[in-house]
Each structure stands twice: as structure tokens, then as C-alpha cells.
Amino acid sequence: TQLLEQSPQFLSIQEGENLTVYCNSSSVFSSLQWYRQEPGEGPVLLVTVVTGGEVKKLKRLTFQFGDARKDSSLHITAAQPGDTGLYLCAGDSGGGADGLTFGKGTHLIIQP
Amino acid sequence: EADIYQTPRYLVIGTGKKITLECSQTMGHDKMYWYQQDPGMELHLIHYSYGVNSTEKGDLSSESTVSRIRTEHFPLTLESARPSHTSQYLCASSELGGGLYEQFFGPGTRLTVL
């Protein structure tokens, strides 16, 4: 069974600070996706990383895929209250048609 | 924005009742999925479908069943609900884009069985 470990599990910081959350596995994934989920809603896809060492930027969010395609990080610059939510990483072991393996997520709270 | 819908959004029922959770998507996606998520926990895949008349069981064993008679519709049924079925159920669909299947989720159904 492939497992994705996310850390930290909970993070509460002040508006304007920077933060990094991590997604680690002992397994290799063909791609890795990051989602944000708000209470009572379904996850919303933020980005997909495919190539080892790949870096993608989405405004203040920077996503990196590890060289070995076993881990990923999400860095947020100058966090805002609107960034509050549950951040989930999900790995695709091949093709994606058979569903994704999800981590437990990082609960992020940005205080004004 | 993804066009995938789930009804009902919230359901509270008694033990032993039969229920069907509805999921529909208007994007013409062939692949559809059902995940189960307990509060503060990860999503677990319980069912998926490659297309019409295709259904497969996911990683997490579930007493629910699914059907796929039409491309846009992927309902999940519990014949006899129990308190252990209390959870959030999320439906998703995906398309092949750039060699990847990127999944789009519905808003979920929060089920409480008393």
C-alpha cells in the first residue's frame, strides 16, 4: 500500500508570514497533485507536478516535486487569510484512471 | 470551474434505511470515482468507473454499490445504512489532459446514520 505522509498536520500563522508544507512517500509516483479543501466542500485542484525536480508557481504558491518523484513541497509567500484551508497532496502511481492516493492533509489557518 | 454535482448535500437517516447518493457531471468525462473521507482524515477510494457499464472496487472495502448506466451519472447505494457508514462521500470525475488524469470533485454528501 502506498502512503503519503503530510507535515505538519496543523499550522497556524499570522498573515504575511511564509510557510512550507511537505508531502513525503517511500513510493515513486508518476505525478503528484495538490488540492485545497474548505469545510463542507470537495477538494479543488491547485496543481499537478510530473517531472522530478519540477517547480511550478501559482501566484504566491510554489510547488516542487522531488528529484526522485517521492516527495513534494508547497511554499506560500506572504500568507493571507484566504489561504486558510486543508491542503491535500495526492499521488498517481500510473495513469490516474484508477484513482489517487491521498495524504491526510495539512490544516492551515492564517490569522489576520 | 468543474461541473460536477452531488445530492443531497446533507443526509441524516436511521439505521436500516436504503439510501442512494447522487452524482452527476456535465463534462462528458469517462472516468468517475467515489471517495470516503472521515473528519480530519485522508480520502479513501471506494469505487471507480472507466465508463458506461464499468464499475470497480477501490482500495477501501465498502458495503456500498455503484452503477454506471449513463456517462454523466454515477450513483452510490447503501442497501441498509448503519452508524459505521457515517462519513463524507465525495464524487469525482477526470479527463485525460496532457497525458494526465486530473480529477474534479463535487461538493460532497455528509451522511449521518443514527
Side-chain angles (χ1 to χ4, degrees), chain B residues 57-106:
Chain B
K57 290 190 179 294
D59 303 324
L60 182 67
S61 175
S62 173
E63 294 168 342
S64 59
T65 59
V66 292
S67 62
R68 191 85 184 277
I69 298 174
R70 303 198 314 267
T71 296
E72 62 272 21
H73 197 212
F74 191 40
L76 180 145
T77 298
L78 277 166
E79 290 292 333
S80 180
R82 295 205 301 270
S84 61
H85 296 140
T86 294
S87 190
Q88 165 129 310
Y89 293 84
L90 291 159
C91 180
S93 69
S94 70
E95 63 175 352
L96 182 62
L100 300 172
Y101 283 95
E102 295 184 328
Q103 296 193 9
F104 298 94
F105 283 83

Side-chain angles (χ1 to χ4, degrees), chain A residues 9 31 33 35 37 40-43 45 48 50 86 88 92 95-104 107, chain B residues 9-10 31 33 35 37 40-43 45 48 50 59 88 90 94 100-108:
Chain A
Q9 190 174 356
S31 68
Q33 302 179 15
Y35 292 83
Q37 185 179 22
E41 300 294 330
L45 179 66
T48 301
V50 179
L86 174 65
L88 296 159
D92 169 17
D98 297 347
L100 301 172
T101 299
F102 279 84
K104 289 186 179 182
H107 294 263
Chain B
R9 290 294 310 276
Y10 304 92
K31 312 295 185 295
Y33 314 83
Y35 291 87
Q37 183 184 30
M41 301 296 287
E42 63 266 55
L43 281 71
L45 181 68
Y48 60 100
Y50 292 113
D59 303 324
Q88 165 129 310
L90 291 159
S94 70
L100 300 172
Y101 283 95
E102 295 184 328
Q103 296 193 9
F104 298 94
F105 283 83

